[in-house]
Amino acid sequence: MQNADAGVVKEAASVGSSASMLRVDTDAVAEKVAQVPWVEQVTVSRAWPSTLKVQVTEHTPVAYFRNGNEVSAVNEAGKVFLKGVAPEGAKEIAGVKPEDSKAITAATTAITALHPKVREKLERVEAKTAESLVLQFAEGKTVVWGSAERASEKAEATRVVLTQEGKKWNVSNPAMPSGRP
């Protein structure tokens, strides 16, 4: 585990030393561990004669957004999994309403579609709606995406236009990107 607190996971998985291995409800243990921040998936199994084996998969932080002073971290599926922190490397989703799950999911789709080298240059995604994504890059470059449909094609068009002169691009139709000086 990289981010989840191992002590908290161990405590959540604890069934007590007097518990019989035959009677341990592994599903109930898994449900408790799944409540730990950063835990996306958990598998609990018995390792005979006396050990529970807990395997944890953590959320991959992709983005975060702010609602006033509260920060919410978002995974690659657009699901809020942690509050109070903007994880390192996560990109900001600006202008989004916290209850607009479609816009949050669209923004994370756009972010994850980008080539890693392009994603490094991404500063934030403006997502007032799911159909109006605008990507802001370093050096003041802006790429209008529109919706998250055809994300892989738009990601490739974005990679190409960012190598060109100009600061403002539109790849909402990735077959015909257009730019303004």
Side-chain angles (χ1 to χ4, degrees):
M1 288 181 292
Q2 188 175 4
N3 296 297
D5 185 319
V8 174
V9 170
K10 187 174 181 178
E11 184 178 319
S14 177
V15 293
S17 59
S18 63
S20 166
M21 283 291 284
L22 291 171
R23 292 193 173 127
V24 171
D25 183 346
T26 56
D27 290 339
V29 173
E31 285 179 25
K32 289 193 303 185
V33 173
Q35 300 304 311
V36 174
W38 286 98
V39 174
E40 181 175 23
Q41 292 180 320
V42 60
T43 303
V44 178
S45 59
R46 292 174 179 85
W48 298 101
S50 61
T51 305
L52 281 181
K53 185 177 177 184
V54 179
Q55 291 180 298
V56 170
T57 302
E58 293 184 334
H59 289 277
T60 301
V62 171
Y64 68 92
F65 63 88
R66 297 181 189 282
N67 182 21
N69 290 332
E70 184 177 72
V71 176
S72 297
V74 181
N75 68 12
E76 59 227 353
K79 177 185 172 194
V80 172
F81 70 93
L82 184 66
K83 296 208 181 255
V85 66
E88 186 176 327
K91 303 302 180 180
E92 181 179 9
I93 303 173
V96 71
K97 294 178 182 158
E99 66 276 2
D100 190 350
S101 61
K102 289 182 181 178
I104 294 167
T105 300
T108 58
T109 298
I111 293 167
T112 57
L114 294 172
H115 185 278
K117 297 269 187 204
V118 174
R119 193 178 317 146
E120 285 176 12
K121 297 175 186 174
L122 180 67
E123 292 181 345
R124 71 181 172 282
V125 177
E126 293 176 12
K128 292 181 180 160
T129 70
E131 293 79 29
S132 64
L133 302 178
V134 178
L135 284 59
Q136 301 289 334
F137 289 90
E139 302 171 8
K141 293 191 175 196
T142 301
V143 178
V144 174
W145 260 51
S147 72
E149 291 178 8
R150 300 173 65 187
S152 61
E153 294 172 68
K154 290 178 183 181
E156 179 58 19
T158 299
R159 186 189 67 74
V160 171
V161 299
L162 290 177
T163 65
Q164 308 297 313
E165 293 292 322
K167 298 276 188 188
K168 296 186 184 213
W169 294 92
N170 186 326
V171 298
S172 57
N173 177 354
M176 296 182 61
S178 59
R180 287 182 269 158

